[in-house]
Amino acid sequence: MFFHIVLERNMQLHPRHFGRNLRENLVSKLMKDVEGTCSGRHGFVVAITGIENIGKGLIRDGTGFVTFPVKYQCVVFRPFKGEILEAVVTMVNKMGFFAEAGPVQIFVSNHLIPDDMEFQSGDVPNYTTSDGSVKIQKDSEVRLKIIGTRVDATEIFCIGTIKDDFLGVINDPSAA
Amino acid sequence: MSIEPFNRLVKLAARAFYDDITTKGDNQPKTGRSDNRGIAVVVLDALTRRQWVREEDLAKNLKLHSKQLRRTLRFLEEEKLITRDHRRETAKGAKIFSAAVAATADGPHHSKEGDEKIKMHTHSYCSLDYAQVYDVVRYRMHRMKKKLKDELEDKNTVQEYICPNCSRRYTALDALRLISFEDEYFHCENCNGELVAESDKLAAVQGVDGDDNVRKRRHEKLKDMLQKMEAQLKPLVEQLSRVKDLPVPEFGTLLAWEARASAAARGINGDLNGNDPSKSSQGYGGTPMPFVGETKVEVAFSGAEGTGVDAKSESENTSLKVLPPWMIKKGMNLTKEQRGEVKDESKTDAGSASAQFSDDKKSLANDDDKTNIQDEYVKAYYAAILKKQQELEEAAKGQQELSSTEVTESVANTNSSRQVGMKAKREEDEDDDIEWEEAPIGGNANENYKVDLNVEASALVEEEEEEDDDVDWEEG
Ligand SMILES: [Zn+2]
């Protein structure tokens, strides 16, 4: 699920960035530092949408660096148990398959793949129905439901299922 | 619109799901007396016999403490079975509701008129929300079934993996760390052994250990439960499918319902302008809704509308609305129909007025006819006024046509003489009315209401007389 929230971060800026472009430098550094990171608490920071407030800079002892407290608005993505996501398959093996929904990695184990889909090894390992009408392989797009998340301080990993109504392949690259 | 299948649905659902609901807190001692299991069923059953009901009245009827009832109702509201409405109102406002509810189910009859307190009280009302009940029951069954089936099919369970060498356990959540890029298997972090999915363990490790026995037993139990559920809830499922394509009875919001109820009450008595009669009489499960209560406004309205409908039934239907006779004055720009209608009607009405009265006398015992009587009374009264007015008009016209040179004196003379005649006639009418108005008093419990009507009516009469006189005299 996406959220638009306000976060705060202390930014350290090298003195060479001071001057009339200080603010721009600060913001671009913030974007570089923050976008794409993941915190267990808020999820993945997708994009910074605005700066709320930049506090007074504080010169650090012994160095020329200055610390600015920056409040910024950003879009974060946090997966939840029970959430339905659309993801791209990245790897298929005997144990199941891995998929990505943006920055989130999801593993679907083979017992959460419908029973009528069989694993086919080979050049392009895949799961296929007996009549061959549905095929899950690398780069397939699937709709899945998250049934569990593992949230670490800097990492979120999910496991999902496609064994439910309206879940499964939504776009088959081999058919296109 | 039939409410019965839905009521059956409510009753079945109540017994299936709310049978053992107790509103007592867990900390209270559960003695035999304080055990109020089944109260939800009782309340729901009671609500199937009502529409909107004031919660105090419901408590009184069910002989429950209002606090206890409120707790149950709050629970039912949370369960989305009923809707509630709270409003601050005076004693008078409450009476309007009582009037509306008077004939539905076992609503109480309020007879006290005198104690009009200005005090505001918050009153709570509740009614069943059939549309929602239908959805809630279906959703509940769906969830029950789904939960059991999911457990049965091991859905939504996190797959576990076990290392056959060192018996270290992993879950699917560790998958990212376990995956090896040499082959397509998971490998133990400890000994690099190939992991086995736990459900396959039976095949991998020979022999059945205790863990699997538990799992198997649980599986059996779930299957059993699912079967039992399907068998026991069969009547409910059947009722749901029966109700599926039926229009859901809707009471609307409290305010809308009140308005509709009183409109329907009037509709039955006066059958007011163009209202679909089937709508007004069947709208509440076929229960007739005589309007017993406030009369002040109703008299004027139903009277006016009553004559209007009479005109319609007696002559052909016209799209033009017939003006109430007391609204027609000299100098008004009226179409022929409007005027002609009224004239027609006044003739027939005046002619049949006495007949109608005698008819009414026969049915006076019937409470439902009370407003009918009021209507007739007013109708007769208007007819009389109208006749007078009409005659005056004709007289004036005749005079004007006779000769413009005629002195106004004579006009005034004829007018006044006719006026006198009319007045006598009207007084007759009035006497008539009073006579038959008295009759129901004997058979009726709430006399004050009748007395009130008379006062009101005669006040009305006087007022109108004056008005008419003014017009006529100015004209002459
Ligand atoms: Zn191991």
Side-chain angles (χ1 to χ4, degrees):
Chain A
M1 209 178 291
F2 290 96
F3 297 91
H4 193 208
I5 57 171
V6 175
L7 293 178
E8 195 170 352
R9 184 179 173 88
N10 287 324
M11 298 288 302
Q12 288 193 33
L13 209 60
H14 193 274
R16 70 168 177 270
H17 298 303
F18 296 172
R20 62 182 167 184
N21 287 335
L22 190 147
R23 193 187 152 93
E24 281 72 30
N25 289 331
L26 204 58
V27 172
S28 61
K29 185 170 166 25
L30 178 73
M31 285 179 166
K32 220 166 81 189
D33 285 2
V34 169
E35 283 180 357
T37 61
C38 172
S39 80
R41 189 174 151 79
H42 298 110
F44 296 89
V45 178
V46 177
I48 290 169
T49 57
I51 306 294
E52 287 250 307
N53 172 46
I54 298 176
K56 283 207 169 83
L58 217 72
I59 303 172
R60 298 188 53 141
D61 284 345
T63 70
F65 280 90
V66 172
T67 306
F68 294 93
V70 182
K71 268 192 186 169
Y72 58 98
Q73 302 161 340
C74 60
V75 175
V76 295
F77 175 63
R78 168 82 158 80
F80 288 94
K81 193 175 163 182
E83 189 176 348
I84 309 286
L85 285 180
E86 286 170 11
V88 179
V89 175
T90 55
M91 188 207 297
V92 179
N93 64 27
K94 201 186 158 208
M95 313 305 285
F97 67 84
F98 288 84
E100 278 178 2
V104 187
Q105 293 229 51
I106 305 139
F107 173 63
V108 178
S109 70
N110 55 13
H111 85 292
L112 294 177
I113 295 170
D115 297 327
D116 61 343
M117 297 190 87
E118 288 276 333
F119 178 69
Q120 319 278 333
S121 56
D123 259 2
V124 187
N126 59 74
Y127 284 89
T128 315
T129 52
S130 52
D131 61 354
S133 61
V134 183
K135 191 184 259 186
I136 295 173
Q137 60 189 40
K138 192 173 183 303
D139 294 331
S140 292
E141 289 170 26
V142 291
R143 182 175 296 129
L144 48 83
K145 186 167 88 175
I146 293 173
I147 58 163
T149 58
R150 154 164 290 177
V151 179
D152 300 329
T154 60
E155 203 180 62
I156 296 178
F157 181 70
C158 303
I159 52 172
T161 178
I162 56 168
K163 206 182 193 177
D164 212 335
D165 298 339
F166 308 111
L167 300 182
V169 177
I170 50 176
N171 174 27
D172 186 1
S174 63
Chain B
M1 181 161 81
S2 172
I3 209 165
E4 220 13 78
F6 283 91
N7 279 340
R8 193 171 144 72
L9 175 69
V10 171
K11 285 174 187 170
L12 281 169
R15 278 155 187 78
F17 302 132
Y18 302 101
D19 203 16
D20 54 351
I21 297 298
T22 169
T23 52
K24 280 272 188 296
D26 288 330
N27 47 356
Q28 275 161 299
K30 283 207 171 62
T31 62
R33 267 193 73 173
S34 74
D35 181 14
N36 60 2
R37 270 177 297 175
I39 188 170
V41 178
V42 172
V43 172
L44 283 172
D45 275 11
L47 283 173
T48 61
R49 296 189 295 269
R50 290 163 176 80
Q51 295 167 22
W52 275 100
V53 62
R54 193 182 312 135
E55 291 175 15
E56 290 163 39
D57 298 337
L58 186 62
K60 224 177 282 166
N61 288 333
L62 294 178
K63 309 247 184 306
L64 280 173
H65 197 277
S66 63
K67 260 189 188 168
Q68 199 183 8
L69 179 72
R70 209 156 37 229
R71 219 177 293 138
T72 311
L73 288 174
R74 212 176 298 133
F75 167 77
L76 293 175
E77 188 186 21
E78 280 165 11
E79 291 287 312
K80 305 263 182 247
L81 298 175
I82 63 171
T83 47
R84 298 173 80 201
D85 199 355
H86 316 277
R87 63 177 184 201
R88 288 175 63 73
E89 55 194 16
T90 57
K92 198 182 161 201
K95 218 179 321 161
I96 294 175
F97 172 81
S98 305
V101 86
T104 66
D106 39 352
H109 291 263
H110 282 245
S111 50
K112 277 274 180 189
E113 265 260 339
D115 51 352
E116 302 246 322
K117 283 173 202 147
I118 317 295
K119 252 192 189 168
M120 298 285 276
H121 287 288
T122 303
H123 288 284
S124 299
Y125 298 83
C126 61
S127 85
L128 281 169
D129 188 337
Y130 288 97
Q132 204 153 261
V133 166
Y134 175 61
D135 288 340
V136 161
V137 171
R138 275 192 322 163
Y139 185 62
R140 195 185 177 112
M141 309 248 303
H142 172 76
R143 295 289 305 192
M144 286 167 78
K145 241 181 241 166
K146 187 169 163 51
K147 195 166 179 190
L148 284 175
K149 272 196 178 143
D150 281 357
E151 295 229 4
L152 210 58
E153 288 168 22
D154 261 356
K155 260 192 209 169
N156 299 353
T157 52
V158 178
Q159 177 69 52
E160 291 194 1
Y161 300 95
I162 195 162
C163 173
N165 302 333
C166 63
S167 325
R168 200 165 156 170
R169 301 174 82 94
Y170 300 92
T171 70
L173 287 166
D174 303 311
L176 210 53
R177 283 182 308 176
L178 304 172
I179 190 74
S180 136
F181 292 96
E182 290 148 27
D183 57 16
E184 53 198 23
Y185 300 109
F186 291 151
H187 285 272
C188 178
E189 285 181 313
N190 198 24
C191 62
N192 205 30
E194 202 173 283
L195 299 185
V196 181
E198 217 214 355
S199 52
D200 298 340
K201 202 174 60 179
L202 213 73
V205 184
Q206 287 302 320
V208 180
D209 60 27
D211 204 27
D212 274 315
N213 251 341
V214 169
R215 189 175 263 239
K216 213 181 250 171
R217 259 204 305 271
R218 188 173 153 66
H219 203 264
E220 289 293 307
K221 206 177 154 195
L222 283 171
K223 221 177 213 167
D224 199 38
M225 246 166 106
L226 197 64
Q227 267 169 6
K228 263 192 199 157
M229 192 189 99
E230 257 156 29
Q232 287 172 3
L233 292 183
K234 206 172 165 222
L236 195 54
V237 176
E238 277 167 0
Q239 192 62 26
L240 276 175
S241 60
R242 216 168 292 151
V243 149
K244 196 175 136 207
D245 295 321
L246 295 176
V248 183
E250 291 269 19
F251 300 143
T253 61
L254 177 59
L255 276 178
W257 177 81
E258 254 175 16
R260 224 156 21 104
S262 47
R266 252 181 284 138
I268 281 171
N269 296 313
D271 212 5
L272 68 169
N273 40 346
N275 242 2
D276 183 10
S278 68
K279 211 162 144 195
S280 54
S281 58
Q282 289 177 7
Y284 304 105
T287 328
M289 297 192 48
F291 190 77
V292 194
E294 299 292 321
T295 52
K296 289 168 191 170
V297 191
E298 305 310 330
V299 172
F301 265 119
S302 57
E305 279 151 356
T307 46
V309 170
D310 262 23
K312 263 186 198 152
S313 59
E314 274 159 27
S315 57
E316 68 289 335
N317 272 338
T318 49
S319 56
L320 267 172
K321 196 169 165 157
V322 180
L323 283 179
W326 46 268
M327 277 180 72
I328 300 178
K329 291 173 184 170
K330 253 278 150 38
M332 275 179 87
N333 195 8
L334 292 175
T335 62
K336 273 258 165 70
E337 285 97 322
Q338 269 169 307
R339 213 184 275 274
E341 275 283 302
V342 173
K343 276 176 188 167
D344 264 11
E345 172 229 343
S346 69
K347 270 175 207 151
T348 40
D349 230 29
S352 64
S354 51
Q356 279 174 350
F357 289 156
S358 56
D359 273 352
D360 276 329
K361 265 177 195 161
K362 282 175 207 158
S363 58
L364 269 184
N366 195 345
D367 262 11
D368 288 19
D369 275 340
K370 248 178 263 162
T371 8
N372 231 340
I373 293 160
Q374 292 168 13
D375 286 353
E376 296 297 348
Y377 165 55
V378 179
K379 210 185 295 167
Y381 166 65
Y382 284 139
I385 290 184
L386 202 94
K387 203 170 180 189
K388 181 203 71 179
Q389 235 177 6
Q390 194 184 327
E391 279 176 284
L392 281 175
E393 269 169 34
E394 272 161 13
K397 244 181 241 167
Q399 287 291 335
Q400 277 164 5
E401 274 168 22
L402 250 178
S403 71
S404 51
T405 53
E406 275 275 306
V407 200
T408 44
E409 244 183 18
S410 60
V411 179
N413 270 343
T414 35
N415 265 356
S416 61
S417 66
R418 275 176 198 272
Q419 190 79 29
V420 170
M422 272 311 296
K423 227 170 195 155
K425 208 174 176 196
R426 200 184 323 133
E427 267 150 26
E428 265 172 39
D429 270 347
E430 247 172 67
D431 286 346
D432 242 9
D433 295 338
I434 289 161
E435 252 177 62
W436 62 256
E437 272 301 343
E438 268 164 8
I441 292 176
N444 202 325
N446 39 1
E447 291 176 351
N448 39 3
Y449 140 70
K450 273 295 162 202
V451 171
D452 196 48
L453 170 75
N454 274 341
V455 170
E456 278 301 308
S458 52
L460 206 73
V461 167
E462 250 138 53
E463 217 176 86
E464 234 112 77
E465 254 177 55
E466 272 166 30
E467 217 176 79
D468 279 340
D469 283 355
D470 282 352
V471 175
D472 288 338
W473 284 119
E474 271 167 30
E475 171 199 294

